[in-house]
Amino acid sequence: MIRRKLSVISGFLALSVITLIQVSCKSGTPSDLSGEHIIPVPVSVVATGDYFRLDEKTAICISDGSDELRQLAEYLAERLRPATGFAFAVKTTKVPPKGSIYLTFAGADSIPLEEGYTVTITKKLLTLAAKSPAGIFRGIQTIRQLLPSGIELSSVQQGEWKIATGTIVDYPVYGYRSTMLDVARHFFGVEDVKRVIDLASAYKINALHLHLSDDQGWRIEIKSWPNLTLYGGSTKVGGGDGGYFTQEQYSEIVRYADSRYITIVPEIDMPGHTNAALASYAELNCNGRATKLYTGTVVGFSTLCTGKEITYRFVDDVVREISALTTGPYFHIGGDESHATKKEDYIPFVERVQDIVLSHNKKSLGWDEISLGLLRPGTVAQYWSSAENAKRAVSQGAKLLMSPSSKAYIDMKYDSTTAIGYTWAGYIEIDKAYNWDPATLVPGIVRDNIFGVEAPLWTETITNIREIEFMIFPRLPAIAEIGWSPARLRNWDDFKVRLGNHGKRFEAMGINYYKSALVPWAD
Ligand code: TNX
């Protein structure tokens, strides 16, 4: 009798514990998809008020067995396995079972643009549909952000993994959203570059511009001109050991970037910013004498000898070797701050170099000064400071990559307390990095003239990956939203709250970010 009573009591207790658990689960359940803090903000989010749950049986299903879709499913599984501890088996099927995640190219015909995607979440199924693999990859980044920030941790976390139900339809305003890493002033190795690729791709950045040469260092092996790296790559700003990528390492970066749907854009800056080359080969100098290696930070003192034929053989070899290793369509020819080159020498140089680039089946990108010359069809000018140069490029029919130094130069200090960085373009706090619109910034330059946006990171004062992260975060997510999201949906007061909710996510990803006082960082 006593025993029976006990079992009734324990049964009652068990029941109440179950009820309690249900109640507490409910309160922690995300049931409003439209309240999620997605960066960049999606084009449209419609909530349906329920939730989808990941568990140990959740499979990642793909609609066809193509290698690319399978690799994307594996990529998603790799993001989800560590923190959940679930297996996430990848399966090919046209009929995904209840509770699975389904990646498909079907039903996405109406989504505009290659990178567009839809995420449809019901209680039974999470479907990510896109026209192209790039669209699936961008959609995966959204799915990561729909899960609690703990999903980014590398060890198994307790708790439930729920996603609010509804539909997201999303696609970018600009087809080119980029960041730049200067590996010339200070050198950063393959692992650092891969980290930048991973972090940038989480915010739907789709290009990485590598500034591979400058006065202080030449950072990519050129087999036909070996001294460029052996000597020209030997030092860096402030002196000490430099470094360079072998061609194998550069190819590894290109492959890795391709797997994250990021295009690598190699830059060889010319005819200025070339002291490392001029120190490596005497014949590139007009006076036939090699310069000394340079470890300072002054700009504008060096120039290739534009009147010598060997200069063009050199440029042709460099462009040919790098282009052969580059899967993307662009080669960046630099062209900035060539104060030591006479204008009458600069113009024919820039024109001839664009032809060399075209002869190796690439299109040129160049800093806005290149519009002094005739721009070849397909050349893109990168606006950084001169509206006049930018307008001259547009009047020639060229498109502009927008990197206004006073907004998008992420090597600028946030404020007077920032220990690293420059100030020549002003302080760039997070609100300043966010509050601008490429299509209205420069009078006379409109949406149709714009190719995309880029946040460049120059590295005179930046020496390691922790410092790179600090300058990139959170300004790169801000610039990423400018490039991806429609202007009508962008709003600082809304962005700062969404950003505040990414603090925990940054921490889970191990990112050393700037905790701006302007942002309400959530606990
Ligand atoms: C200007 S912007 C440069 C770079 C410097 C940078 C430092 C541009 C095209 N050239 O050479 O590294 O300022 O902020």
Side-chain angles (χ1 to χ4, degrees):
M1 179 68 185
I2 289 179
R3 212 177 251 172
R4 254 193 71 177
K5 232 183 188 164
L6 265 182
S7 77
V8 168
I9 291 171
S10 61
F12 173 76
L13 270 178
L15 251 180
S16 11
V17 169
I18 287 168
T19 327
L20 263 178
I21 287 174
Q22 276 175 344
V23 168
S24 68
C25 286
K26 267 252 147 64
S27 64
T29 291
S31 54
D32 182 9
L33 189 67
S34 58
E36 294 297 346
H37 303 103
I38 305 166
I39 299 176
V41 64
V43 173
S44 127
V45 182
V46 176
T48 52
D50 211 329
Y51 65 84
F52 170 85
R53 188 201 334 246
L54 305 181
D55 63 29
E56 48 285 314
K57 293 193 296 297
T58 305
I60 301 182
C61 299
I62 48 179
S63 58
D64 69 77
S66 73
D67 277 357
E68 220 166 352
L69 202 50
R70 177 163 291 275
Q71 276 157 20
L72 284 158
E74 268 307 325
Y75 166 85
L76 173 58
E78 280 163 25
R79 305 276 85 62
L80 303 180
R81 279 172 191 144
T84 60
F86 306 152
F88 292 105
V90 173
K91 298 178 181 163
T92 305
T93 171
K94 291 264 189 278
V95 203
K98 187 171 171 254
S100 49
I101 297 175
Y102 186 47
L103 311 185
T104 179
F105 295 131
D109 295 342
S110 60
I111 304 168
L113 306 175
E114 283 299 287
E115 292 179 286
Y117 67 90
T118 61
V119 178
T120 311
I121 310 142
T122 66
K123 194 144 184 61
K124 294 187 182 144
L125 198 65
L126 190 161
T127 306
L128 166 56
K131 259 199 193 118
S132 73
I136 297 282
F137 186 85
R138 306 297 170 231
I140 288 174
Q141 307 316 315
T142 298
I143 293 171
R144 286 169 78 178
Q145 294 188 15
L146 294 175
L147 285 159
S149 59
I151 197 69
E152 301 297 341
L153 290 165
S154 50
S155 61
V156 177
Q157 305 299 303
Q158 292 314 309
E160 293 206 283
W161 304 99
K162 294 175 175 176
I163 298 181
T165 56
T167 301
I168 297 174
V169 178
D170 202 15
Y171 46 87
V173 171
Y174 296 103
Y176 192 92
R177 305 168 308 280
S178 173
T179 187
M180 185 203 85
L181 182 63
D182 170 7
V183 294
R185 270 53 177 271
H186 283 95
F187 180 67
F188 304 93
V190 174
E191 289 314 307
D192 290 348
V193 177
K194 285 183 176 174
R195 169 104 175 132
V196 169
I197 288 170
D198 276 333
L199 299 182
S201 68
Y203 289 90
K204 300 188 174 72
I205 292 292
N206 69 357
L208 173 64
H209 166 186
L210 290 175
H211 185 76
L212 291 166
S213 67
D214 213 301
D215 291 320
Q216 299 86 349
W218 186 283
R219 308 299 184 201
I220 173 131
E221 177 190 21
I222 303 295
K223 304 240 189 230
S224 52
W225 296 75
N227 253 5
L228 290 170
T229 43
L230 291 179
Y231 187 63
S234 63
T235 192
K236 62 184 175 194
V237 165
D241 288 346
Y244 63 90
F245 300 122
T246 63
Q247 294 204 349
E248 289 68 25
Q249 289 173 324
Y250 176 78
S251 297
E252 186 184 337
I253 290 171
V254 169
R255 265 196 311 277
Y256 193 80
D258 282 345
S259 78
R260 268 64 176 154
Y261 297 85
I262 285 197
T263 303
I264 294 292
V265 177
E267 177 186 357
I268 295 298
D269 205 347
M270 351 174 223
H273 289 279
T274 42
N275 186 71
L278 297 167
S280 307
Y281 287 96
E283 57 268 46
L284 297 177
N285 294 269
C286 283
N287 65 8
R289 285 203 301 272
T291 60
K292 288 204 177 74
L293 290 172
Y294 181 70
T295 60
T297 56
V298 169
V299 296
F301 63 88
S302 56
T303 183
L304 292 173
C305 189
T306 57
K308 277 185 168 177
E309 266 319 291
I310 184 131
T311 297
Y312 300 93
R313 285 207 295 281
F314 165 75
V315 173
D316 188 73
D317 285 338
V318 168
V319 175
R320 175 173 45 75
E321 289 197 29
I322 297 176
S323 294
L325 306 171
T326 303
T327 50
Y330 286 96
F331 191 102
H332 201 302
I333 61 175
D336 58 316
E337 301 171 320
S338 287
H339 308 316
T341 322
K342 290 200 193 91
K343 194 169 161 184
E344 63 263 35
D345 296 334
Y346 177 85
I347 290 170
F349 176 86
V350 160
E351 293 174 352
R352 200 163 159 188
V353 169
Q354 289 175 80
D355 291 336
I356 292 174
V357 169
L358 282 171
S359 78
H360 296 294
N361 300 316
K362 301 291 181 197
K363 290 185 257 191
S364 292
L365 254 156
W367 299 105
D368 60 44
E369 290 95 320
I370 63 165
S371 73
L372 288 167
L374 274 182
L375 299 181
R376 302 309 189 224
T379 294
V380 173
Q382 185 165 7
Y383 167 73
W384 66 282
S385 80
S386 164
E388 197 191 328
N389 286 341
K391 280 188 267 187
R392 197 184 307 104
V394 164
S395 72
Q396 296 193 47
K399 299 255 190 221
L400 295 175
L401 175 56
M402 300 297 282
S403 298
S405 49
S406 61
K407 313 273 184 197
Y409 265 35
I410 55 178
D411 65 318
M412 294 301 127
K413 290 177 187 287
Y414 290 97
D415 65 16
S416 62
T417 68
T418 314
I420 45 177
Y422 272 172
T423 57
W424 67 262
Y427 296 127
I428 306 184
E429 246 295 359
I430 179 64
D431 58 339
K432 202 167 171 198
Y434 183 76
N435 274 322
W436 61 283
D437 183 358
T440 57
L441 186 73
V442 182
I445 289 169
V446 297
R447 167 72 186 90
D448 262 7
N449 309 135
I450 295 171
F451 179 64
V453 292
E454 177 175 296
L457 182 61
W458 302 99
T459 60
E460 285 95 334
T461 65
I462 291 149
T463 60
N464 60 48
I465 186 72
R466 303 291 291 161
E467 293 175 350
I468 290 176
E469 290 174 9
F470 187 80
M471 298 310 253
I472 289 186
F473 281 90
R475 289 183 289 200
L476 189 59
I479 307 275
E481 179 153 310
I482 291 173
W484 179 282
S485 307
R488 70 186 150 80
L489 296 179
R490 285 195 280 112
N491 167 298
W492 163 250
D493 286 323
D494 176 64
F495 177 73
K496 72 177 181 196
V497 173
R498 280 182 288 118
L499 184 59
N501 276 276
H502 278 241
K504 280 277 159 296
R505 207 167 283 279
F506 296 157
E507 280 157 34
M509 293 163 96
I511 299 172
N512 177 37
Y513 68 103
Y514 168 61
K515 232 174 171 175
S516 168
L518 303 180
V519 176
W521 300 104
D523 299 321

